[in-house]
Structures are given as structure tokens and as C-alpha cells.
Amino acid sequence: MAIIKSILDTDLYKFTTSYAYSKLFPRAMGAFRFIDRDLLVYPPGFDQLLRQEIQAMEQLRLTEEEASFLEHELPYLPPTYIDFLRGFRFDSREVHIEQTPDGHLHIWAEGLLYRVTLWETPILAIVSELYYRVTDCQPDLAYAERVATEKARTLKEHEVVYSMFGMRRRFSYEMEDRVTALLKEYSGSSLFGTSNVYLAMKHGLKVSGTHPHEWVQFHGAIYGYKMANYMAMEHWIDVYDGDLGTVLTDTYTTDVFLRNFSKKHAMLYTSLRHDSGDPLLFIDKVIHRYQELRVDPLIKYIIFSDSLNVEKAIRIQQACRGRIGVRFGIGTNFSNDVGNGVKPVNIVMKLWRCKMTRKEDWHQCVKLSDVAGKHTGDPAELELAMRTLDIRNIHE
């Protein structure tokens, strides 16, 4: 049975970013590259199994129930975009897969950005689940259910408000589904929602998410690195008119972002998302910037989403108490804590290059995180971006 069984089995930001591309940049092209940070060796023939799963996605269709859910729960997506999804079909020709003789995996997805962006999260979920399947990793279901229940109860006890962000590196769809049900049962109002649109529909949860690094990377490549954050925020406002008011800060480091963060943006965006670097230092920097702009930090939020677990979330909440609002997006620690020595895969897909039309030359896309280990992109382009933004090597 195919791993991805619904077009909605994806993260919310894939639809919101896809629509933003279609509205503002309908002819823009992009290429996403798969990155395995642990350089796993995949079993022989893994590429063929993966290709079969990708091809199986061509059979997916948006059902009327799913369309109705989107219309009701995602009102910021217009009827024209939902009609597009009704007719949308994945095209496996957009995805290029190669497995080297030494077992390493290379994946590219290339095409019109409003289409090709929709490949990212399903491909990651397929690679993760397929890897555990072919290497015969077995979850300890009793352990997984017990720890999920304990985590849910602890978060509720400490009044930690969080969303489930667990799709991309989940153990399996079934595990994410089961854990989501347990979180809903035992967390109560502490569980704000889930980024997985299909599981939100299935379990009666809010759909929760933010916009991704790719949106800022695209703007950096097209408008220049000094204007990237500003233009990305402006265009997001143009598309969503105040909805979806959370913005990522670390595409070109938080320090650069905060220099671009104006009074206008501080008022229009309800929250900033932390995704790399020291969370306590981030809290201080953000509060300082809000105070510089004469914006009360207590009416704003930070969304933390970087490699979180329950204990880390509680510590961060304590550091924010009385200073700034706080919410959390907890992912792999929920969807892939299954015991039996199973280690979550460390995989991502990042926008690697883009262009405004098919006829143009490609522009390189890079990401400069608040920790050097999360930098992605061509080394020469990374160096250019760092020089342009006057960023010293983060290792220093």
C-alpha cells in the first residue's frame, strides 16, 4: 500500500507557499535538493522502491470532503486555488532519483515553483518511512504510546501550548496518526493543532503552520540578500493581508533579520519563529528589537520549533514568562520516538536554485542559519551571501 494516501497528507505551509507563488510568481521555476545530514547508506534498490512510491502519488485526487475541509478551515486560500487542487496531479517526471554505488541517495525535484514545492514534505516522509521499512526497524508500540501519553500530560500540566510538527521525519504515517490521537486525548487545550492537514481533518484539530525558509531563499536569489527578508515579508502581506502572521527569522541569520524587521512588520506579524541557535539568546534579541520599535513584547509571540522535546519546551516557556508570549512546534520527538533503538533520520529538502521564467538563467539559493551546520547551498554562493550581509563565519 502506498505511503502517501492523500494530497492533504502534507504540511500546511506547502499549500500556503504554493498559493503565494501562484499569485505573485506564476512562471517562476525552482529546484529542490534532498540533503541527508547523516550521510546514511541506503540498502541496494532503495531508489527503485522510492521511485515506485513517487509514481504512486500520481493517482492522488483531492476528494470533495477534503476540498470542503480546506474551504472551511483555510479561508485564506481562495476558491481559485482550491479549484486548482481539485485538478492537481503530481507528475513523477519532476522528481529525479539516483542512488550511488556506495548507497547514498540523491533526489532533485524541479519545475514550476507553485507545483514543485508540493513535493518536499511527501518525499521526506516517504524516505523516512521507507528506510525503516526496508531496514526492518520495528517500533515498540507500547513504549511509543506510553511516552506520547506522558509527554501530553506533562505539557498539559505545565500549560505549554504547542502544535504537532512531525510529518517530515516521522517513523510512519500510522505512528504520526496514533500519536496525534493520543496528544489530542491527553493534552486537552494545550494542543493547539497540527501542521499535517490530513490529520487535522481526521482528528478535528486546527491546522497550524508558518511559512518556510524557501520563501525567503527565493526572495534572496531574486531581489538580493540585503532585501530578502524585507521583500519576503512584504509579499507575504500582499498575499495574505494579515493572515498567517508568523515569520521565520534565520534564513540569513537572526541578526540580519532583526535589522530588516521594521515597525510596520512588528505590528503586522503576530509572531516570530525560532528554528536554530541558542533559544535564550534569541529571546533577549527579539525582546530588545520589539522595545527598540516601541512594540510591547507581551502582545507578541515566539514560536519555537528547533529540535524540541518536552523538557526543552518547559525551560523555554519559563524563560519567556512575563516577558513575551510563547508557543511551540514539536515534531520528530513526537512522531519518531518509538524505542527499540530507532534513530530519527536527519533529512531535509531545500530550495537549491530558482528563476523567474523558464528562459532565464538559474539563480543559486542559499540558507545561512544561526548555526553553521544548517547552512545549505553552493559554497561559493554562501560565501558571497556572507560577504554581502557582512556575516562572519559562525564557527568563529
Side-chain angles (χ1 to χ4, degrees):
M1 184 177 292
I3 290 174
I4 304 296
K5 306 175 185 66
S6 168
I7 287 177
L8 298 194
D9 187 12
T10 194
D11 282 327
L12 170 64
Y13 73 83
K14 291 287 85 181
F15 294 135
T16 56
T17 311
S18 167
Y19 170 59
Y21 286 135
S22 72
K23 180 173 182 177
L24 298 183
F25 311 105
R27 294 176 176 83
M29 305 285 292
F32 286 77
R33 179 179 173 182
F34 173 81
I35 301 168
D36 188 329
R37 290 170 174 157
D38 290 340
L39 298 176
L40 287 177
V41 174
Y42 293 82
F46 188 90
D47 57 332
Q48 295 299 321
L49 296 173
L50 175 57
R51 197 167 286 111
Q52 290 171 16
E53 292 288 343
I54 296 299
Q55 290 170 349
M57 289 180 63
E58 294 183 333
Q59 305 305 312
L60 298 176
R61 306 286 189 273
L62 190 75
T63 68
E64 282 306 308
E65 178 189 10
E66 291 170 340
S68 177
F69 177 80
L70 294 178
E71 290 169 353
H72 186 265
E73 297 297 327
L74 279 60
Y76 38 79
L77 293 179
T80 51
Y81 184 74
I82 295 174
D83 280 346
F84 157 73
L85 289 179
R86 279 191 172 96
F88 175 76
R89 304 292 181 266
F90 283 102
D91 184 350
S92 64
R93 293 174 298 178
E94 295 171 335
V95 182
H96 311 276
I97 302 167
E98 177 188 350
Q99 187 171 1
T100 62
D102 58 358
H104 296 304
L105 193 61
H106 300 279
I107 308 170
W108 283 81
E110 184 175 309
L112 289 163
L113 263 172
Y114 72 87
R115 287 184 51 87
V116 77
T117 188
L118 297 173
W119 280 112
E120 179 204 355
T121 47
I123 286 176
L124 292 173
I126 290 170
V127 170
S128 183
E129 181 166 346
L130 196 59
Y131 175 75
Y132 297 122
R133 185 183 297 177
V134 300
T135 56
D136 198 30
C137 287
Q138 299 296 325
D140 181 337
L141 185 57
Y143 165 87
E145 292 184 341
R146 184 179 74 254
V147 297
T149 300
E150 290 171 353
K151 291 172 186 176
R153 285 173 166 161
T154 301
L155 291 166
K156 180 180 180 181
E157 177 186 349
H158 287 84
E159 299 180 338
V160 174
V161 178
Y162 70 96
S163 293
M164 170 68 149
F165 280 10
M167 180 189 179
R168 293 180 299 164
R169 290 178 285 271
R170 66 193 184 192
F171 181 84
S172 66
Y173 164 78
E174 288 75 18
M175 186 60 66
E176 185 185 6
D177 181 29
R178 179 60 181 144
V179 168
T180 301
L182 291 170
L183 296 178
K184 179 182 179 182
E185 181 177 358
Y186 292 102
S187 273
S189 59
S190 283
L191 178 62
F192 180 81
T194 175
S195 63
N196 187 307
V197 182
Y198 182 77
L199 291 179
M201 181 180 75
K202 179 177 179 180
H203 294 283
L205 295 170
K206 293 186 182 73
V207 190
S208 174
T210 69
H211 75 30
H213 293 107
E214 70 175 88
W215 183 249
V216 190
Q217 287 181 272
F218 171 80
H219 283 78
I222 300 301
Y223 295 98
Y225 298 115
K226 289 186 176 181
M227 291 297 293
N229 286 305
Y230 182 86
M231 293 302 298
M233 286 187 281
E234 286 290 296
H235 281 151
W236 200 254
I237 292 167
D238 290 344
V239 174
Y240 289 110
D241 196 31
D243 284 319
L244 302 170
T246 300
V247 61
L248 266 167
T249 64
D250 70 333
T251 309
Y252 300 115
T253 75
T254 292
D255 288 342
V256 169
F257 172 86
L258 291 176
R259 292 201 300 266
N260 298 149
F261 194 51
S262 68
K263 177 70 174 282
K264 170 186 174 181
H265 297 137
M267 295 302 293
L268 289 176
Y269 283 94
T270 56
S271 52
L272 304 181
R273 178 177 157 200
H274 170 270
D275 200 47
S276 64
D278 184 340
L280 301 185
L281 180 59
F282 182 86
I283 295 167
D284 290 340
K285 288 181 177 181
V286 167
I287 290 174
H288 178 70
R289 183 57 178 158
Y290 277 128
Q291 290 172 339
E292 281 185 332
L293 296 171
R294 304 183 310 282
V295 175
D296 182 0
L298 288 173
I299 67 172
K300 299 296 178 179
Y301 290 87
I302 300 176
I303 312 296
F304 291 90
S305 62
D306 181 30
S307 304
L308 292 178
N309 56 36
V310 170
E311 294 74 20
K312 188 175 179 180
I314 292 171
R315 289 197 302 271
I316 292 171
Q317 174 160 287
Q318 291 170 344
C320 291
R321 184 170 289 123
R323 303 176 66 199
I324 193 168
V326 61
R327 298 287 187 268
F328 300 90
I330 306 177
T332 308
N333 187 254
F334 282 146
S335 63
N336 204 344
D337 186 2
V338 298
N340 280 348
V342 174
K343 181 183 177 182
V345 293
N346 192 6
I347 57 176
V348 294
M349 282 193 80
K350 292 298 181 184
L351 186 62
W352 204 258
R353 60 184 187 177
C354 66
K355 54 185 178 179
M356 288 294 279
T357 68
R358 291 183 186 273
K359 296 181 180 180
E360 292 184 14
D361 293 332
W362 288 103
H363 302 281
Q364 297 292 318
C365 297
V366 299
K367 173 176 173 281
L368 288 171
S369 174
D370 286 327
V371 290
K374 285 190 172 183
H375 290 359
T376 59
D378 176 77
E381 191 69 20
L382 283 167
E383 184 179 349
L384 173 62
M386 293 177 76
R387 287 202 312 269
T388 301
L389 296 170
D390 194 25
I391 299 171
R392 291 187 301 170
N393 194 313
I394 293 176
H395 283 303
E396 295 177 358

